């Protein structure tokens, strides 16, 4: 499937955001602590993911037809950021749901 990593990554983000806005309604997206958490996650994701996916000596490789080919910064496929956002947000939403 063309863009076999991109489509699921975008779908994961849309599903998690819809889950919060339509069903859970925890208010997580309105909390500054959530956005600070996401900034911290990205701050650690960039050096680790950049090292794993660097084109000069990749440890993790992606099929060229499975991604858009957009890489930023340091050769990180943009799809990795989408999946990271969806996964971290889903965990935080489950945590918030469990507090009630």
């Amino acid at each position: 499937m063309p863009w076999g990593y991109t489509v699921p990554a975008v779908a994961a983000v849309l599903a998690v955001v819809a889950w919060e806005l339509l069903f859970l309604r925890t208010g997580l997206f309105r909390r500054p602590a959530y956005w600070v958490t996401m900034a911290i996650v990205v701050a650690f994701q960039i050096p680790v993911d950049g090292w794993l996916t660097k084109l000069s000596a990749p440890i993790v490789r992606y099929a060229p037809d499975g991604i858009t080919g957009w890489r930023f910064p340091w050769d990180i496929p943009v799809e990795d950021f989408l999946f990271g956002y969806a996964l971290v947000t889903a965990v935080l939403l489950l945590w918030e749901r469990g507090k009630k």
Side-chain angles (χ1 to χ4, degrees):
M1 172 170 90
W3 293 10
Y5 188 50
T6 305
V7 172
V10 171
V13 170
L14 294 174
V16 168
V17 170
W19 188 39
E20 164 60 5
L21 297 178
L22 300 175
F23 300 105
L24 295 179
R25 298 181 183 177
T26 66
L28 185 68
F29 296 150
R30 292 189 303 269
R31 296 187 195 146
Y34 167 72
W35 296 105
V36 169
T37 299
M38 295 311 293
I40 293 168
V41 168
V42 169
F44 282 95
Q45 182 179 2
I46 288 172
V48 172
D49 209 349
W51 177 68
L52 290 171
T53 61
K54 64 186 177 281
L55 293 175
S56 61
I59 295 169
V60 177
R61 296 175 190 223
Y62 298 91
D65 61 342
I67 61 173
T68 60
W70 301 337
R71 292 174 174 261
F72 176 83
W74 298 314
D75 302 330
I76 302 168
V78 296
E79 292 86 354
D80 283 4
F81 291 104
L82 295 173
F83 263 128
Y85 174 84
L87 291 171
V88 171
T89 300
V91 168
L92 293 173
L93 288 170
L94 287 170
W95 191 344
E96 285 298 311
R97 183 177 180 210
K99 288 181 4 183
K100 295 180 181 183

